Amino acid sequence: MQLRPTLCLCLALATVYGAGCSKQETASPTNGSAEMARELAAIADTLDPNANPWANEQRLAYFSSLPVPSDPVERLKLQGAVAREFLYSGRSELAANAFERMIENVRQFPQLAPDDYIRTLTFLKAVAYLRMGEQRNCIDNHSGAVCILPIQPEAVHKAREGSEGAIETLTRILEESPDNLEARWLLNIAYSTLGLHPDGVPERFLITTDKLAGPPSDFPTFHNVAHEVGLATSSLSGGSITEDFDGDLDLDVVTSSWGLRDSLRFFENTGDGHFVERSHAAGFDGLTGGLNINHADFDNDGDFDILVLRGAWMGEAGQIPNSLLRNNGNGTFEDVTVAAGLYSRHPTQAGAWADYDNDGWLDLFIGNESSQDRQYPSELYHNNGDGTFTEVGAEAGAALVGYVKAAAWIDFDNDGDQDLYVSLLGEPNRLLENRSGTFTDVGDRAGVGMPYQSFPTWAWDYDNDGWMDLLALSYQASLKEYAYFELQGKINVATPHLYHNNGDGTFADVTDAAGLAVPLKAMGSNFGDLDNDGWLDFYAGTGDPDLRTLVPNKMYHNVRGRFVDVTAPGGFGHIQKGHGVSFADLDNDGDEDVHAVMGGALSGDIFQNVLFENPGGENGSISLRLIGRTSNTNAIGARIEVQITDSMGRTHSIFRSVTSGGSFGSSSYRQSIGLGSDAASVSARIQWPSGTEQSFENLRPGSFYVVDEADGLKEIDPHRFEFARHR
């Protein structure tokens, strides 16, 4: 296989000089992109608000247009529908007022509703006040510190009406129902936003800071600098990619937002610590939606292409096509979904790339969301080697039917080919063993079926023993259950499941021993090495569409195979909904930063995305960018062993597999590998998917290497820069 000549030249120049290809400043939609944009617009235009609970603007318009019923009960129901859509569409003050009017109405005429209806309305009123406070302070007057627990002085709300209204309402609820854990949790959040926690909280309702934000430690603080560098754009839930799309050695950022009219966005890394939006120039106009996105070089031309996954959580309304966007190598992208043979209309957010038959071309698994009413078999697209794909799911044994939420390729038996782990919501997960290009479910035998309410998942070697392990995160903990755990120390829901590879085709559930027996309603998530100690950490974006679910996103530090919650000291405890997460060294300073897309599913639940800057430390690292020749160009599936000898002559190994990380967020394929504090000598051994092996000695900590499957290792010197800080 050969790289396209222009891109070969671009990559060579980038390797030798640290230079990128020239970029096209404007782009006219190609036929494929224009056709996809028209189809997506038509889907949005014909949306049935009754069939889509997330179309809150349209639902509000619909309910507001209905005639007022003469029957008082039906009239109350319509008022409730309008009030909820006020809340869900972001009209929080109108919602609070509407719920108050309904409460007064029911008090005057109690026969209109059940006894507990006022309690429901009162809670919704409190949520509306909380959201109003977030909008007026955290969104309208945004800074990097807002909505992160524990609330810092600079993030205290200046517009106090929202939180004050929430405190008054939640206190009334707790005086009547002191055991209401949800109200107690949110009351402490509201006091925190006003700078009144813990001293201002009535003692009987107080939740201590360590319970609210997480345990303290000496872990360094990562500051959210997205607003300083041009990445604090507002969105709903969506995906995150960090990758060098333009070949200039700086990692760029691509984000999505799942609204049917929300465009993909491309942010070019300018090389001085800032990002400039080039979405229009990239040809993204009209390419909307996408709860999840990821990237890979599907056509082996040397640059990175983008996959957009659409329709998740929407049932029949989610029959929306995915998009495959080919990187043209000049700063623009073209939608080639139809031309490549990938066009289908099934609800999904799960897609994973790997060369399952080791022919040097990346194949694609797409896991679709089936229900009792409608089945959408999962798809396996075999790469034909000419820029097109053939769907072979049924004949290969991979046409799973279930509510698929994630997929991860894993060579669990170290036999040199990629097997497939599939996360299913509401039934056991599956592990499909690759047997010469056909797949057999061995999940029961391997012991990797849980959690039953499974969502994000990935394969990694968390304990550096040379065997790939699995982590599957749960999507079951509501606010009530989360608060119950924090306040009572008891678990009554499914937890994550960490599976240690036994090396014999089976896995051991080591969740408890690894410190992960915690309620963690995870969505977007990914992993990386925060402190360059050689052990992989992970960040979990938490929450659900319910606006009450204000719980911190969680960061777990891997301490030699046991995970420690460093959310609070690390500054990661954002209480907005966490979606696509990617780890990447965005400032080329030798450590990994964390990018996350925030915002929820409801059309009014927008929030600014975040970028947590790594403050650095004493541990060293090396960066490896692998380029396949006989193997796929991204080297997906390649295994890396870095051997470190310390100053005392002791040797240990760190193991990595080339992937984009987790299933909801797409990290750069460039491998940033921490070496710890004492690396007297460093060597590396690479096993390529083709079977080729290479070994390299005397690697220098702090260096950036390109490893070519044919030509070997070259050290390059990308420019080094720091984020421009304006504190």
Side-chain angles (χ1 to χ4, degrees):
M1 117 189 40
Q2 296 294 323
L3 295 176
R4 196 164 60 203
T6 57
L7 288 168
C8 250
L9 177 61
C10 174
L11 184 57
L13 289 172
T15 300
V16 177
Y17 299 111
C21 295
S22 62
K23 304 176 183 64
Q24 181 174 315
E25 292 303 320
T26 59
S28 299
T30 60
N31 286 337
S33 296
E35 290 171 5
M36 180 61 73
R38 282 193 290 270
E39 181 170 358
L40 295 173
I43 291 171
D45 289 342
T46 58
L47 175 72
D48 178 3
N50 288 313
N52 187 343
W54 319 113
N56 306 110
E57 294 285 345
Q58 294 90 334
R59 289 170 67 84
L60 176 60
Y62 170 74
F63 289 126
S64 299
S65 70
L66 295 177
V68 177
S70 57
D71 180 78
V73 174
E74 293 302 315
R75 186 162 60 247
L76 186 66
K77 289 180 180 178
L78 180 58
Q79 290 171 343
V82 171
R84 281 179 170 82
E85 298 307 331
F86 275 147
L87 176 60
Y88 298 160
S89 64
R91 296 163 172 83
S92 303
E93 185 172 8
L94 291 175
N97 293 336
F99 288 128
E100 178 58 32
R101 287 194 298 271
M102 292 181 68
I103 292 169
E104 293 173 356
N105 199 11
V106 174
R107 281 181 177 146
Q108 290 179 0
F109 304 98
Q111 70 275 14
L112 295 179
D115 293 340
D116 62 351
Y117 194 55
I118 286 181
R119 288 194 290 273
T120 299
L121 294 174
T122 304
F123 207 107
L124 288 169
K125 175 185 170 184
V127 172
Y129 274 126
L130 281 169
R131 185 59 182 163
M132 184 173 77
E134 293 168 353
Q135 290 168 320
R136 293 182 179 178
N137 294 274
C138 303
I139 298 177
D140 294 345
N141 296 292
H142 186 70
S143 72
V146 298
C147 279
I148 295 176
L149 294 178
I151 301 292
Q152 299 301 310
E154 63 267 31
V156 169
H157 288 190
K158 295 179 174 60
R160 302 171 65 88
E161 301 90 345
S163 292
E164 287 175 344
I167 288 172
E168 179 184 354
T169 308
L170 291 165
T171 300
R172 189 180 311 140
I173 293 172
L174 286 166
E175 286 173 346
E176 295 180 1
S177 305
D179 295 329
N180 188 321
L181 297 182
E182 294 165 294
R184 186 177 170 191
W185 179 271
L186 294 178
L187 178 72
N188 280 261
I189 295 287
Y191 273 108
S192 295
T193 64
L194 297 181
L196 300 175
H197 186 279
D199 295 338
V201 185
E203 186 175 354
R204 65 190 185 281
F205 301 141
L206 177 65
I207 298 175
T208 57
T209 301
D210 65 312
K211 297 295 185 183
L212 200 66
S217 78
D218 58 359
F219 196 81
T221 299
F222 287 54
H223 294 286
N224 173 23
V225 299
H227 63 298
E228 301 175 16
V229 303
L231 290 176
T233 53
S234 296
S235 73
L236 296 172
S237 53
S240 165
I241 302 174
T242 48
E243 190 55 88
D244 180 10
F245 284 103
D246 52 10
D248 64 357
L249 301 182
D250 301 319
L251 298 180
D252 311 300
V253 175
V254 175
T255 65
S256 68
S257 176
W258 90 319
L260 296 183
R261 300 190 188 278
D262 298 345
S263 178
L264 289 172
R265 305 182 77 166
F266 179 84
F267 299 92
E268 178 194 351
N269 192 328
T270 63
D272 64 354
H274 292 82
F275 294 81
V276 175
E277 183 166 4
R278 303 287 192 200
S279 303
H280 172 69
F284 284 177
D285 291 351
L287 300 179
T288 57
L291 182 59
N292 197 8
I293 53 178
N294 61 36
H295 71 296
D297 181 10
F298 81 93
D299 52 1
N300 277 345
D301 66 356
D303 51 29
F304 296 98
D305 313 296
I306 296 173
L307 177 69
V308 184
L309 297 153
R310 300 187 177 100
W313 297 114
M314 296 171 64
E316 289 195 29
Q319 296 181 67
I320 305 172
N322 301 320
S323 280
L324 179 63
L325 307 181
R326 184 179 64 204
N327 189 334
N328 294 322
N330 61 357
T332 70
F333 293 80
E334 176 182 359
D335 193 306
V336 295
T337 311
V338 174
L342 285 181
Y343 183 90
S344 64
R345 293 184 60 156
H346 308 313
T348 183
Q349 66 174 53
W353 297 92
D355 180 8
Y356 75 85
D357 57 352
N358 285 334
D359 65 354
W361 296 84
L362 288 176
D363 312 298
L364 174 64
F365 175 81
I366 295 180
N368 297 314
E369 295 180 353
S370 295
S371 65
Q372 292 181 343
D373 299 327
R374 189 72 178 266
Q375 292 189 348
Y376 302 98
S378 296
E379 300 155 293
L380 179 62
Y381 289 96
H382 178 260
N383 195 321
N384 299 321
D386 59 359
T388 67
F389 295 82
T390 299
E391 205 286 304
V392 297
E395 62 190 83
L400 296 177
V401 175
Y403 206 80
V404 179
K405 296 310 298 177
W409 293 96
I410 172 177
D411 181 8
F412 78 92
D413 46 9
N414 280 358
D415 66 352
D417 57 29
Q418 295 294 309
D419 313 295
L420 182 64
Y421 186 62
V422 182
S423 171
L424 295 162
L425 193 72
E427 59 181 292
N429 297 335
R430 314 281 182 85
L431 178 61
L432 303 184
E433 182 181 10
N434 186 347
R435 298 175 178 174
S436 302
T438 61
F439 294 86
T440 302
D441 184 6
V442 296
D444 288 344
R445 184 189 74 200
V448 292
M450 295 293 103
Y452 192 73
Q453 297 292 336
S454 187
F455 197 160
T457 190
W458 59 76
W460 59 346
D461 187 355
Y462 81 94
D463 58 351
N464 282 321
D465 67 351
W467 293 85
M468 294 295 285
D469 311 298
L470 286 165
L471 179 64
L473 303 181
S474 173
Y475 191 69
Q476 196 178 11
S478 67
L479 172 61
K480 181 178 181 179
E481 291 153 342
Y482 182 86
Y484 179 76
F485 169 77
E486 292 294 347
L487 297 176
Q488 306 293 334
K490 299 177 182 177
I491 301 172
N492 57 1
V493 294
T495 70
H497 280 252
L498 178 63
Y499 292 110
H500 175 262
N501 194 327
N502 295 323
D504 61 0
T506 68
F507 292 75
D509 188 337
V510 296
T511 306
D512 288 348
L516 292 178
V518 294
L520 196 66
K521 192 164 194 174
M523 300 181 292
S525 48
N526 217 318
F527 60 88
D529 184 358
L530 293 175
D531 56 353
N532 282 336
D533 65 352
W535 297 79
L536 291 170
D537 317 301
F538 76 93
Y539 190 49
T542 61
D544 61 28
D546 192 333
L547 292 173
R548 293 175 296 179
T549 312
L550 297 177
V551 298
N553 295 284
K554 288 285 190 175
M555 182 68 81
Y556 288 91
H557 180 223
N558 186 345
V559 182
R560 305 189 68 82
R562 181 172 176 82
F563 292 87
V564 177
D565 185 346
V566 295
T567 302
F572 298 108
H574 210 295
I575 58 174
Q576 297 299 316
K577 314 301 168 52
H579 285 88
V581 174
S582 51
F583 283 64
D585 184 5
L586 289 173
D587 50 0
N588 281 338
D589 66 351
D591 49 42
E592 290 186 296
D593 313 294
V594 182
H595 179 264
V597 170
M598 313 304 289
L602 300 167
S603 66
D605 196 8
I606 63 170
F607 206 82
Q608 287 93 342
N609 299 333
V610 300
L611 175 61
F612 294 108
E613 180 192 5
N614 195 320
E618 297 180 356
N619 294 337
S621 69
I622 58 171
S623 292
L624 301 178
R625 164 80 161 90
L626 274 59
I627 301 175
R629 298 293 179 169
T630 304
S631 303
N632 67 88
T633 58
N634 294 157
I636 293 175
R639 303 293 294 273
I640 302 170
E641 179 183 2
V642 174
Q643 295 181 328
I644 300 169
T645 302
D646 65 19
S647 57
M648 301 294 291
R650 296 169 298 196
T651 300
H652 68 278
S653 292
I654 296 168
F655 295 91
R656 295 287 184 269
S657 181
V658 178
T659 72
S660 61
S663 60
F664 202 159
S666 198
S667 299
S668 172
Y669 290 107
R670 180 188 302 176
Q671 299 297 299
S672 181
I673 301 175
L675 305 174
S677 60
D678 185 2
S681 68
V682 180
S683 62
R685 182 170 67 94
I686 297 173
Q687 294 177 290
W688 294 85
S690 64
T692 298
E693 292 194 14
Q694 295 173 324
S695 295
F696 307 102
E697 305 292 333
N698 301 316
L699 304 183
R700 296 190 307 111
S703 297
F704 187 154
Y705 297 95
V706 169
V707 185
D708 190 297
E709 187 177 12
D711 296 336
L713 180 141
K714 296 179 182 179
E715 183 176 356
I716 61 177
D717 185 20
H719 50 276
R720 301 282 178 176
F721 56 84
E722 299 286 340
F723 282 120
R725 305 302 293 272
H726 304 293
R727 288 198 182 90

